[in-house]
Amino acid sequence: MELQAKLIKSLGKSEGVSKAGNPWMKTEWVAETFGQYPKKVKFHIFGTDRNNSINLEVGKDYSFSFDIESREYNERWYTDISVYAVQPIQNQMAQPNAGSWEAAAAPSNGPQFGQPAPAAFNAPDFGPQPGSATDDLPF
């Protein structure tokens, strides 16, 4: 999955050693989506190699590639967002709504909610209107 957002906070780094004796590292971050109703998204980057190859700066815009996974523990569900690739967004003004859920759901043609219909918008033809001369229905 992909998401374009502004990185707003670093939550720090965790390190340890697995049961097998292998070292591990995880960094956690918060990003904010673009659009009329921005959403904050907490995610993590797991792995020493990944963390060393991905350089993030708070305040910059990025395109994140990620996986989502949910798991159950003590009859409660938890969801993790794991980022595996990051690309900086070069032209920040090119796509002001990129990454927002609203932009993904918006239709690409026709009038938008809250906006007047364009003058050239053609409504479908539903046939003769009730009470017109070509209306042959008895009611």
Side-chain angles (χ1 to χ4, degrees), residues 52-133:
N52 290 337
S53 66
I54 297 175
N55 297 316
L56 299 176
E57 278 185 54
V58 173
K60 296 221 174 176
D61 297 343
Y62 295 97
S63 177
F64 300 97
S65 299
F66 62 93
D67 289 324
I68 298 177
E69 182 179 2
S70 295
R71 67 192 188 311
E72 181 189 9
Y73 180 74
N74 289 339
E75 297 183 17
R76 296 197 59 165
W77 284 88
Y78 300 90
T79 301
D80 287 327
I81 299 174
S82 180
V83 169
Y84 59 85
V86 178
Q87 293 294 322
I89 298 174
Q90 300 301 328
N91 186 357
Q92 296 179 9
M93 298 306 288
Q95 297 179 349
N97 289 330
S100 71
W101 302 109
E102 296 86 10
S108 61
N109 56 10
Q112 300 294 316
F113 180 76
Q115 301 294 323
F121 182 70
N122 295 325
D125 181 19
F126 292 111
Q129 297 298 314
S132 68

Side-chain angles (χ1 to χ4, degrees), residues 16-40:
V17 178
S18 70
K19 290 180 184 177
N22 300 320
W24 59 268
M25 178 177 19
K26 175 174 86 168
T27 56
E28 294 182 310
W29 303 86
V30 178
E32 187 173 59
T33 62
F34 305 115
Q36 185 177 2
Y37 303 107
K39 308 283 187 228
K40 291 181 177 62

